[in-house]
């Protein structure tokens, strides 16, 4: 176990273990996970990452502090209230109202299922709120994995696929935007920018596009998959064998460019799956299916599936 000698509190202030006195939530400056103080008088005091069994209480403290921070973030422009009951069974973390906007802001720190996210999203929309999801540290570090990212993604015409994050030691919001993925793997690409005010966030209009990739040698990739097959490859290869379909014929039609992170299988299998009369869309709880369809059409515009 690695000893940590400097931690951060909720305000971002650095706290040295040798000077630690007041008990309060502290976080690793490198990964933002919560740490605890260890000092028994027999060795130099230090901090260590706390185990999952101890995180529930700290998660509540992070959630409460985060809601207060978000209230301050939105207050200059909106009328803000915390913990607003929305009948029949929803409670909004931060409600922000203006003359032309009605936001239900959710600061999600704990794990949450796709089904619950979808139900809460739909519930707010049915009440004429615009849901704005902001995720905490646990989701921030898991978002590097495609499967988790697809659970928390939102979509905007200005930012494409994006996620907003608030980490405990940050005095700003992190916007990860223009998420895309490689066509032949689950590797993710995105950009990040920080905001200290709602005005900055609301007026942010970046230029979007794909990320530069080297041309993919699909024959070489196919042979590598044959030697070291993934589960996706083995399953689809079996389907192709049963229906006498040449998998490589369809894979080779995939453009060598990053694509939207909306696919259940790698994007390079999309045209093949269409031939197999199956969809390659992943269910995204915070995004309408029509958005995924439009983005897939954009990814494969002008591609011949025959």
């Amino acid at each position: 176990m690695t000893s940590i000698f400097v931690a951060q509190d909720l305000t971002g202030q650095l706290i040295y273990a040798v000077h630690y006195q007041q008990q309060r939530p502290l976080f690793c400056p490198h990964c933002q996970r919560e740490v605890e103080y260890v000092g028994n008088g027999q060795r130099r005091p230090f901090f260590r990452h706390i185990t999952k069994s101890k995180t529930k209480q700290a998660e509540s403290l992070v959630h409460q502090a985060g809601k207060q921070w978000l209230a301050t973030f939105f207050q200059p422009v909106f009328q803000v209230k915390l913990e607003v009951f929305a009948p029949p069974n929803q409670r909004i973390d931060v409600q922000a109202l203006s003359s032309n906007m009605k936001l239900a802001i959710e600061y999600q720190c704990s794990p949450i299922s796709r089904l619950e996210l979808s139900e809460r999203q739909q519930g707010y929309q049915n009440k004429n709120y615009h849901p704005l999801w902001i995720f905490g540290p646990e989701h921030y570090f898991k978002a590097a994995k495609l499967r988790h990212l697809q659970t928390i993604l939102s979509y905007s015409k200005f930012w494409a696929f994006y996620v907003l994050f608030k980490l405990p030691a940050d005095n700003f919001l992190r916007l990860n935007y223009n998420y895309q993925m490689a066509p032949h793997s689950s590797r993710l690409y995105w950009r990040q920018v920080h905001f200290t005010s709602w005005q900055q966030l609301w007026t942010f209009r970046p230029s979007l596009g794909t990320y530069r990739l080297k041309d993919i040698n699909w024959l070489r990739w196919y042979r590598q998959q044959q030697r070291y097959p993934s589960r996706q490859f083995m399953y689809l290869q079996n389907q192709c064998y049963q229906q006498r379909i040449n998998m490589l014929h369809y894979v080779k039609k995939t453009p060598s460019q990053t694509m939207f992170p909306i696919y259940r299988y790698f994007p390079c299998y999309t045209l093949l799956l269409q031939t197999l009369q199956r969809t390659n869309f992943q269910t995204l709880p915070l995004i309408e299916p029509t958005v995924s369809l439009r983005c897939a059409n954009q990814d494969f515009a002008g591609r011949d599936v025959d």
Side-chain angles (χ1 to χ4, degrees), residues 237-262:
Q237 189 179 48
N238 184 53
Q239 296 296 308
C240 290
Y241 177 78
Q242 293 178 14
Q243 301 190 34
R244 298 183 179 181
I245 293 174
N246 185 337
M247 177 190 288
L248 182 58
H249 171 76
Y250 292 94
V251 169
K252 285 167 59 177
K253 295 177 180 289
T254 308
S256 297
Q257 64 184 44
T258 54
M259 296 185 171
F260 296 112
I262 58 176

Side-chain angles (χ1 to χ4, degrees), residues 17 36 121 154 173 195 299:
E36 62 182 352
Q121 173 89 346
S154 294
L173 287 184
F195 298 100
D299 274 341

Side-chain angles (χ1 to χ4, degrees), residues 55-297:
T55 58
K56 190 170 184 180
Q57 180 181 2
E59 190 175 82
S60 178
L61 292 172
V62 170
H63 187 241
Q64 291 296 328
K67 287 189 296 184
Q68 293 289 342
W69 187 92
L70 289 170
T72 302
F73 181 87
F74 287 94
Q75 231 157 17
V77 179
F78 296 89
Q79 295 180 358
V80 175
K81 290 184 179 180
L82 297 177
E83 295 291 337
V84 175
F85 180 64
N89 58 359
Q90 289 188 285
R91 187 174 296 276
I92 304 169
D93 282 343
V94 182
Q95 177 186 266
L97 304 179
S98 70
S99 59
N100 59 356
M101 198 172 297
K102 185 179 179 183
L103 296 179
I105 302 159
E106 285 293 309
Y107 183 44
Q108 189 64 40
C109 293
S110 60
I112 187 169
S113 69
R114 295 189 180 195
L115 178 59
E116 185 178 354
L117 265 176
S118 180
E119 290 176 345
R120 288 168 64 179
Q121 173 89 346
Q122 190 63 49
Y124 290 137
Q125 290 173 339
N126 291 342
K127 299 176 181 69
N128 296 318
Y129 282 99
H130 177 82
L132 184 63
W133 291 87
I134 299 171
F135 292 91
E138 179 172 342
H139 296 280
Y140 181 74
F141 296 106
K142 289 181 177 180
K145 300 292 185 180
L146 177 64
R147 181 170 178 80
H148 189 80
L149 176 70
Q150 289 177 331
T151 300
I152 62 176
L153 272 177
S154 294
Y155 181 84
S156 158
K157 65 180 180 180
F158 299 114
W159 307 334
F161 291 92
Y162 75 92
V163 187
L164 280 165
F165 295 102
K166 171 65 177 74
L167 303 188
D170 290 349
N171 197 30
F172 51 82
L173 287 184
R174 297 174 185 238
L175 172 66
N176 286 10
Y177 70 98
N178 199 29
Y179 270 106
Q180 297 192 17
M181 64 184 293
H184 57 323
S185 73
S186 58
R187 182 178 178 181
L188 293 168
Y189 301 80
W190 69 92
R191 295 188 177 98
Q192 184 180 102
V193 64
H194 302 167
F195 298 100
T196 57
S197 73
W198 166 256
Q199 293 90 336
Q200 292 175 344
L201 180 66
W202 180 244
T203 58
F204 181 58
R205 301 291 186 267
S207 59
L208 304 175
T210 59
Y211 299 91
R212 185 180 299 275
L213 295 178
K214 294 182 179 179
D215 286 342
I216 300 169
N217 185 324
W218 288 110
L219 178 59
R220 181 186 301 168
W221 176 87
Y222 182 78
R223 288 173 175 170
Q224 288 176 340
Q225 287 293 306
Q226 287 181 312
R227 292 181 62 189
Y228 309 104
S230 65
R231 289 185 179 181
Q232 290 186 8
F233 183 86
M234 288 190 292
Y235 171 75
L236 291 175
Q237 189 179 48
N238 184 53
Q239 296 296 308
C240 290
Y241 177 78
Q242 293 178 14
Q243 301 190 34
R244 298 183 179 181
I245 293 174
N246 185 337
M247 177 190 288
L248 182 58
H249 171 76
Y250 292 94
V251 169
K252 285 167 59 177
K253 295 177 180 289
T254 308
S256 297
Q257 64 184 44
T258 54
M259 296 185 171
F260 296 112
I262 58 176
Y263 300 102
R264 179 178 287 110
Y265 296 87
F266 296 157
C268 63
Y269 295 128
T270 298
L271 300 180
L272 171 64
L273 286 162
Q274 289 178 9
T275 302
L276 295 171
Q277 297 184 336
R278 299 183 184 182
T279 180
N280 195 19
F281 297 146
Q282 184 60 273
T283 300
L284 306 176
L286 302 182
I287 298 172
E288 295 293 332
T290 53
V291 172
S292 294
L293 177 60
R294 186 173 69 247
C295 290
N297 289 337

